[in-house]
Amino acid sequence: MKKFLILVMMVAVFAASLFGGCAVNGRDGRDGKDAQDVSIQEIYEAAKSIEGNENLTFDQFLKEYLSYNDDTVGLKSVINRSLMSGVSILSRFAYSDGSGYLSGMRRSYKVYTGSGAILWLDKSAGDAYVVTNCHVVYDDSSVNAFCKDIRLYLYGQDEKGTNFSIDLNNDIVNDENYRIEAEIIGASVSYDIALLKVTGSDVLKRSDAVAAKFSQSSEVYAGEYVYAIGNAESEGMSASNGIVSRESEYIELNMSDIDENAYTEYRVMRITAPINHGNSGGALYNTRGEIIGIVNAKLEGEDIDNMGYALPANYVKRLLKLMYDSYASNGNNSGVRKAFLNIATSVSDSYSRYNESQGVAEIFDTVSVESISGAPARSNLQNGDIFKSVKITDSQGTVKEDIKVTRRYHVQDVMFSVRLGDTVTITVERGGQNVDVAIVFDSENYFRNYY
């Protein structure tokens, strides 16, 4: 059967309750009598009548028989707070008929939908920064590849027909009281991440919106409970839950509408939380309400269930910091200027180990230098060097990163944190001995733009 790996953006053309009644008499009406409702208290009394349950408390009954506990209540609160950080996104693109601008070019429009998460918020000023996927605000077949008309809508203000409408010309109308206008200050097709800026929004000023936070832990493991917040099927912000089914893998996606061969590889985590069109750019959270990923794709097919993907937060937050720093320096969207070592790496060995104290299965890679293409690695690293750790120190001597290399992606991800003038100290195993290799990134030639 055919399988389709797709970006989860969407064209916007637009049992019994816990404390409710429960039918227990009349055998669901099969004896000719209507079922009768009973209270939760009566069910509790029936449970107490079971031998050995004479001293069963009501709280114990809720926990043991109905799986109702403080964690359940707490998680509901956490999820609802995350909804207050989410935004639905409408991106309106313009398209040319090809007749030429000077001759009176005719244009058509399309509206696409996606999701985002507020990362920083100043409500008094109505300012915010929002993360989303690049493909939510990018279409290389449009007049402007990066969208110029981006509108955000808060939870409870994102219902089509109530808070906004899309007319026959694909104009977004009747949203004056709800739209939050945003601009792109950083975006990268290579990493499918975009950073949006909101300035002086009256909607934000009078809202109860909150900013979400990234998880401080760099590790995510299979089996971890997660929930996604997003604008599924363009029906407004909603929540879906599942687990991490694989903490790291690679997929290929094509974000181009004009080049069918323009595939890019992305590192993602696989999740079972239901992901639908319109979820793109929404945040994936852990049970503490911390962002551990940004949803960006799903696998579709008749024989496929619950295979969604999210970009891991442990490199997304580094990438966003790089975008913000670039914008602060240049005042525009200049893509991603990332440091590079000019090497290719390989994994010579991999194994897993069950960590009894944490109850998780850990994967360990032996990451080696496979080849060297030029500076800055040339004359510093050697083929066959095995990575042990990477430390980044700025020109004032402040340590910015200090990580052990146990996975291949650690070497790639940490380079997002390198800035001009920083020193990258790589500890490698060479000839059976640990060797510290210090590389000063003192040249613009050691950085490359990624769009």
Side-chain angles (χ1 to χ4, degrees), residues 20 83 113 182 312 387 406 429:
L83 285 166
T113 67
F387 284 89
T406 58
E429 181 183 324

Side-chain angles (χ1 to χ4, degrees), residues 2-67:
K2 292 184 177 179
K3 300 178 179 66
F4 301 94
L5 187 61
I6 63 168
L7 304 165
V8 288
M9 192 167 76
M10 174 157 181
V11 180
V13 289
F14 297 174
S17 175
L18 178 62
F19 291 105
C22 182
V24 295
N25 293 327
R27 299 179 183 176
D28 298 325
R30 283 179 291 181
D31 63 355
K33 300 179 182 179
D34 289 337
Q36 299 177 14
D37 288 345
V38 297
S39 70
I40 195 69
Q41 185 66 32
E42 290 175 299
I43 301 174
Y44 166 55
E45 293 298 336
K48 283 182 64 178
S49 68
I50 299 173
E51 185 178 355
N53 279 1
E54 296 84 359
N55 297 320
L56 183 71
T57 68
F58 189 69
D59 284 344
Q60 290 171 335
F61 163 71
L62 291 176
K63 293 178 181 179
E64 296 178 19
Y65 287 84
L66 299 182
S67 299

Side-chain angles (χ1 to χ4, degrees), residues 141-192:
S141 68
S142 66
V143 173
N144 297 295
F146 292 101
C147 190
K148 298 297 184 181
D149 185 358
I150 303 171
R151 307 185 190 193
L152 317 180
Y153 302 85
L154 298 173
Y155 179 62
Q157 299 180 347
D158 55 355
E159 182 178 353
K160 183 181 178 183
T162 299
N163 306 118
F164 67 89
S165 298
I166 300 174
D167 66 17
L168 295 177
N169 295 317
N170 284 321
D171 286 327
I172 307 170
V173 297
N174 302 324
D175 67 342
E176 292 81 4
N177 295 326
Y178 306 106
R179 72 171 178 255
I180 301 171
E181 298 177 357
E183 63 173 323
I184 301 170
I185 65 170
S188 172
V189 174
S190 300
Y191 297 104
D192 197 17

Side-chain angles (χ1 to χ4, degrees), residues 219-360:
E219 302 300 330
V220 175
Y221 297 96
E224 183 167 349
Y225 183 95
V226 295
Y227 61 92
I229 299 292
N231 183 19
E233 293 297 331
S234 304
E235 296 292 337
M237 300 301 295
S238 60
S240 61
N241 69 306
I243 63 169
V244 175
S245 52
R246 189 173 178 87
E247 50 82 32
S248 183
E249 62 182 305
Y250 293 85
I251 60 173
E252 287 190 340
L253 295 172
N254 185 349
M255 283 198 283
S256 175
D257 283 339
I258 59 178
D259 184 357
E260 63 181 13
N261 296 313
Y263 281 88
T264 301
E265 186 177 73
Y266 300 92
R267 187 171 77 81
V268 295
M269 68 178 74
R270 192 196 310 168
I271 58 175
T272 65
I275 299 300
N276 295 285
H277 296 277
N279 271 106
S280 279
L284 183 74
Y285 295 87
N286 60 23
T287 55
R288 295 180 295 278
E290 301 166 334
I291 297 176
I292 63 169
I294 301 298
V295 172
N296 78 319
K298 66 179 293 187
L299 195 61
E300 285 193 338
E302 295 178 8
D303 58 344
I304 296 171
D305 291 317
N306 295 338
M307 291 186 68
Y309 300 96
L311 303 165
N314 55 11
Y315 85 79
V316 169
K317 57 186 177 183
R318 291 176 173 130
L319 174 58
L320 290 171
K321 178 66 164 59
L322 186 56
M323 287 181 172
Y324 177 82
D325 288 349
S326 178
Y327 172 77
S329 299
N330 303 321
N332 55 37
N333 171 27
S334 56
V336 178
R337 189 160 178 77
K338 181 186 177 185
F340 64 91
L341 288 168
N342 238 345
I343 63 172
T345 60
S346 62
V347 176
S348 57
D349 187 27
S350 293
Y351 69 96
S352 61
R353 180 183 65 190
Y354 183 69
N355 186 321
E356 290 281 356
S357 62
Q358 297 186 36
V360 296

